[in-house]
Amino acid sequence: MNPLGKDARRYEKSCCCSKRYYCGAIIVLVIAQANGISLSSILNDSNVSYIEFGDEFSGFDLWDHEGKAVTKISKGKKYTVTFYLSSSCSSCLDSISDFERFAATFGDQIDYAIIWQDKIPDHYINKYSLDPSINYSLNGEAKLSTATPTFFILDDSGFVIFKDVSRENLIEKLILLDVTDSDELKSNA
């Protein structure tokens, strides 16, 4: 029998629950850190510029591969496909591993931009033979979406006409926009 009685047992149970709560919170923070999300970014959302369907693709600073400030990523085509990625995200690396094939499929009919949440990872640019001139960085100063990778399609006025986390949905939307010949798409798949 516990000399402190029922109150001691209730206290022990509440401590146990509190410990579980703290352990859960610590696990979430460890997972977030492993995915490149810092505690300060969780607690301070002043650098969030979530871009949604219909929004103008603006309101944040971008830098090109040479470190120069950029105001526009479109090069004048009807559509700009934008990949929003993080260099610490394995799904993001999967999405760029075959970027060259993706770009070959849709050809010169659209512009491309790869926006990195953090610094532009030169080693991945080299590894995947990506054109450095289509890579831009937010330098960790803004977030365009709650998830990476996120894919955007911008119209020629710079407004978001598509936003999704699925590359398959991106491809379906591009087919609906009629930016490629479906036979060519099948041959490059």
Side-chain angles (χ1 to χ4, degrees), residues 25-43 86-89 117-118 143:
I26 290 170
I27 290 170
V28 167
L29 290 174
V30 168
I31 291 171
Q33 186 66 37
N35 286 307
I37 302 169
S38 68
L39 178 59
S40 63
S41 68
I42 292 170
L43 299 176
S86 170
S87 61
S88 61
C89 161
Q117 181 178 335
D118 31 29
K143 292 182 182 178

Side-chain angles (χ1 to χ4, degrees), residues 20 38 48 56 80 88 90 101 105 120 150 161 163 187 189:
R20 277 189 231 136
S38 68
V48 174
E56 186 171 6
T80 301
S88 61
S90 61
R101 184 177 68 149
T105 300
I120 297 173
T150 299
I161 61 167
K163 175 187 176 183
S187 70

Side-chain angles (χ1 to χ4, degrees), residues 121-135:
D122 291 328
H123 57 286
Y124 291 131
I125 305 301
N126 295 331
K127 179 177 180 178
Y128 297 113
S129 302
L130 300 173
D131 178 359
S133 71
I134 65 167
N135 284 270

Side-chain angles (χ1 to χ4, degrees), residues 2 10 24 32 39 49 51 54 63 67 83 93 96 101 103 108-109 113 115 126 136 148 151 153 156 159 167 169 186:
N2 190 334
R10 255 186 268 149
L39 178 59
S49 299
I51 303 295
W63 291 268
F83 288 53
L93 300 180
I96 64 165
R101 184 177 68 149
D108 296 332
Q109 299 179 45
I115 298 180
N126 295 331
Y136 304 92
T148 56
F151 307 100
I153 300 176
D156 56 354
F159 285 87
R167 192 167 50 170
N169 291 343
K186 289 175 188 171

Side-chain angles (χ1 to χ4, degrees), residues 78-95:
K78 187 172 183 179
Y79 301 109
T80 301
V81 173
T82 304
F83 288 53
Y84 172 60
L85 309 173
S86 170
S87 61
S88 61
C89 161
S90 61
S91 312
C92 296
L93 300 180
D94 289 343
S95 71

Side-chain angles (χ1 to χ4, degrees), residues 73-75 77-82 111-113 152-154:
I73 58 173
S74 174
K75 309 270 192 279
K77 302 273 173 64
K78 187 172 183 179
Y79 301 109
T80 301
V81 173
T82 304
D111 287 327
Y112 301 95
F152 297 92
I153 300 176
L154 313 179

